[in-house]
Amino acid sequence: MQALIRRLTESYGPSGSEDQIRDVVRGEIRGLADYVTIDPLGNLIAVVKKKAKSGKKIMLAAHLDEVGFVVSHIDAQGFARVQLFGGVNPLACVGSRVRFADGRLGVIGIEARRDDLTKVPAVNELYIDVGATNAADCPLRLGDAAGFWRPMELAGRRLIAKSLDDRIGVAILIETLRSLKQTPHEVAFVFSVQEEVGTRGAGAAAFGLEADVGLAVDVTRAGDTPNGPRMEVRLGGGPAIKVRDARMIADPRVRELLEQRAREAGLATQREVLEGGSTDAAAMQIARGGMPAGAIAVPTRYIHTPSEMVELGDVQACVALLTRFLQRPIEL
Amino acid sequence: MPFDILAHLKALCAAPGLPGHEAPARDLLRAAWSPLTHWLETDRLGSLCATRQGGGPRPRPRLMLAAHVDTIGMLVTRLDGDFLRMSRLGDVDERTLPGQLVTVHGRHDLPGVIGQPPAYLLPKNGREQVTPLSELVVDTGLPAERLRALVQAGDLVSLAQPARELQNGLLAARGLDNRASVTALTLALSELQSRAHAWDVVAVATVQEEFGLRGAGPAAFALAPDLAIVIDVTFGRDANTRDLAYRTFPLGGGPVLGLGPNIHTGLHSAVKAAAERAEIPYNLEVMWEHSGTDAFGIQVAREGIPTMVISIPVRNMHTPVEIVALADVIRTGRLLAEFAAGLDPGFMGQLALD
Amino acid sequence: MPPRKASNTRLPARRTAARAAKSGPALAPLDLDLVRELSNAAGVSGDEGAVRRLILEAIRPYAAEARVDALGNVLAVKPAARGRQAPRVLVAAHMDEVGLMIVDHDSDGALRFELVGGVNERMLLGKPVWVGPRRLPGVIGAAPVHLVSAERRRAVTRLGQMRIDIGAGSQEAARRQVALGERATFATEFDLLDGVFRGKALDDRLGCAALVALLRGGPYPVTLHAAFTVQEEVGLRGARVAGYALAPDAALALDCTPAQDLPDSRGRENTQYNARLGHGPVVYRADRRAIADHRLVEHLAATAEANGLPYQYRQPGGGGTDAGALQQARAGVPVASVSVPARYLHGPAALARAADAEQTLRLLQLALAGWTASVLKRP
């Protein structure tokens, strides 16, 4: 699974520019589903057809896109001024490397003569330097998008990579699709677009699919770092089952069923009570006449920086839990 | 009155029903609405939809009367020794929390108090100001070990002040936002039993209004009504609001009729006409952008739904001592019944713009 | 002074249009009299009736079908030149404008108001307004500078301190003249001189006028669904239901965007101008509400380049157009936005150049005229 995660996290795909990462995922899932489609917004949808009459229609979502930068101006010296796609952590920017769709690398700089050097950088103080010497020489255009660039690394039982949010969810969906030998349900694996700019892809996909139950697989924060976020979730504690986040309250029936399936399989889980951020499930829950929805989250440190960290055991447990969830009856 | 409104309202206010977890209040309501309607169903997110079939020819147009049944409260984020830390579900007012009575919905319900830590335990900037929710604790008095056996992260915490009857027909209670409006719906359904109405009337107790208006849009999508009226609370006038720039409304002055982009002008006029027919006093509230109610989601469901907002004035909104005038609840219920009974089968034709 | 006639002004030659017209659909010009009427009409979000009536009148002979939906959107159809399989493309322009809404009558007859949409508080003081459907004149006054302290003179006057004075004199008289919930707009008469428009509500009456011209021309190889939407300025609300009702294959928002191309007071490069006057139609790649579909942006850019039309990319960043709501309609719709650049939008008097508006219309006409199945093909 590590090789898969490497291929996914080392691919390019800021919000709205998911063509490359979508092609990578398409290659990984070839032959595994009954059919695969790309919808009008660019979501990649792989469907495993229903095998039993009592089966339900389940929508799973993991988003393809990653946070990033979009060029808003090329100044006279050839520096690209930027805006952000998604909640990029500005503290993680200075000195970081970014990559554009054509593979071109750039480094993020910051205006040195700022009003207050102790303050978190504002986005209009940042720029991307691609080695251009003046505006005419700069190959970028307004609207070109870049993502962080870093190779994946292994640190003990943990992985460090850019865009684990949410390529780790993508990897979990792919592994689940591979390991899912039998299911009574129709399962739509949705690799969604534009989550980081407001869960735009998954909402549309949910409307189109009209599923009975929806689950997002995404990352959540972990409270186990020095003076860290105030939450109980920790790396190595197992999949975090969503209770609430900033935009949604998980359907209690979905949450309880996930917890029950984990108990049956002897898998440890945690409860995710998140005050900032949300996932595709928030949009799925209110599509059409509503969809009972929840989420499984991988505890993750340093989210929206070039060096996100997860524990492999948590990831494998997510695959095991999701597989079991899909193999068993789903009655709410 | 065919039923005891005060008892109904008090019972509703006593029932827990945090956003996304409305089952206790919904169950109570199901029992109350079931004899008053022809069929009931709970939609996919938990909104209770109760239909009174109209007498007009098919296909019968449908009127949606929606009031949210969820109330604000808190949620356990983590255990901190003998104490619980919490986050809000809905816009809870921290100023009123220290010393407040709560119920922790753990393995079983536990009584608790919201503890205010002494100043020297708070971050420096928190000493002079109102203590933020993140610094307050829920204290059940139990030792850590026992607490851990009964409560886990994600468990709910309800505000727990019991209702109290004040002078002049006023009631103080937790959750009058929006159980007062739900009671007006019950009353309207009850009145319609003895009145002919051509349209189907669907009373909907919506979910998750206090958490981003999430339940009403999907409910309206599923029902696809021709018209919708949302009943919610608005700001009652008292010593605390008299000097605010916002125009507030006297308790006992009758229902408050909304106006603005969220509201269909023709529908507004028709409701006003119904109030005048039934000699019900009313006030007008200008909602210049977002109405802040379920109408915001309902109006843009499907191809768009003409929507109206009727509000009941409530004092001390989003505290556990909200106050309402029973007379306003009753008048709102009567107004809904009067409007619904007065709808003729061709009413939609009169609503067309231009 | 009598209003200047639109025909007094020379507009840029339409050579590209004439060339394209030989083989393609008819390309109707921007109707400057209509621009004037639309700009002068009052249509604050939620109260678009006056604008809607003008538009219905302007398109009636040209659209195959025009209806008004439950929220007040005007939805019109121009069938494709041939074939029922033609792609269905929605073009949306919003009818509403930002403005004021009356919320209370003071005891002395002054009117309290709130802002509808993103009106800049700094632009209100000392401006005349039209109040209500009868366009009652009123003013937003200011205490004489002689009487205010130096400190207060420097402070921006906040909304809570402002009132509209219609000269009523008493609360009762004010109530007789103006009902609660009536809207007010800036009282600015449209003006056109030397290729420059000056008026209120150019956002988005310029888009509306261009969309009318799209309906008057054609037919195109696509079925054109024109949506003149309501309540854009209070959250893209009309577009949301229009998108649901029409479920198009692609959608374009036709709007007006701020040109903040003013000099920096410290002489530094202005890196946050959003768009520039005189640089042609503004094509969006990303704003706060939508990331434009790459295929549509490519089609618009290629159309402009092939026809020698100038265009500019809008700076990615804040703001949003109806495209944000249209993209989320049903199972999703590929969207893009094209705007006319204009200065001082959301205030009493915006400025735009006729050439930018004409070229924006031309870009849309040519993009529709040149639409083929390959536009939405994925690589």
Side-chain angles (χ1 to χ4, degrees), chain C residues 277-338:
Chain C
L277 224 60
H279 288 240
V282 185
V283 177
Y284 293 51
R285 295 187 74 185
D287 61 27
R288 202 171 62 77
R289 299 298 293 261
I291 297 172
D293 190 283
H294 290 190
R295 299 164 295 178
L296 296 180
V297 172
E298 183 56 36
H299 177 57
L300 289 165
T303 300
E305 277 158 24
N307 290 279
L309 270 180
Y311 73 101
Q312 52 183 323
Y313 284 141
R314 180 182 179 274
Q315 284 194 294
T321 71
D322 275 340
L326 295 167
Q327 183 185 47
Q328 296 293 301
R330 292 184 182 255
V333 178
V335 295
S337 300
V338 183

Side-chain angles (χ1 to χ4, degrees), chain B residues 247 261 288-289 296 299 354, chain C residues 52-53 104 117 231 237:
Chain B
R247 185 182 151 101
W288 54 91
E289 283 187 353
F296 197 68
Q299 186 187 29
D354 301 299
Chain C
R52 184 165 47 235
R53 285 186 286 277
D104 219 344
Q231 300 195 33
R237 311 217 359 117

Side-chain angles (χ1 to χ4, degrees), chain C residues 355-372:
Chain C
D356 287 326
E358 287 273 329
Q359 286 156 358
T360 301
L361 167 61
R362 198 63 69 234
L363 175 57
L364 264 289
Q365 287 168 330
L366 295 171
L368 293 181
W371 199 289
T372 63

Side-chain angles (χ1 to χ4, degrees), chain C residues 17-37:
Chain C
R19 197 171 57 219
K22 268 179 209 158
S23 53
L27 305 184
L30 196 62
D31 178 342
L32 297 179
D33 290 323
L34 181 63
V35 169
R36 172 191 305 277
E37 283 182 286

Side-chain angles (χ1 to χ4, degrees), chain A residues 35 37 39 45-47 57-60 186-190 202-212 288 291, chain C residues 331:
Chain A
Y35 60 92
T37 58
D39 77 3
I45 303 175
V47 178
K57 184 163 183 179
I58 312 300
M59 171 176 173
L60 305 176
E186 175 170 343
V187 188
F189 292 78
V190 178
F207 186 100
L209 286 166
E210 285 192 78
D212 300 309
R288 289 187 181 260
M291 182 198 293

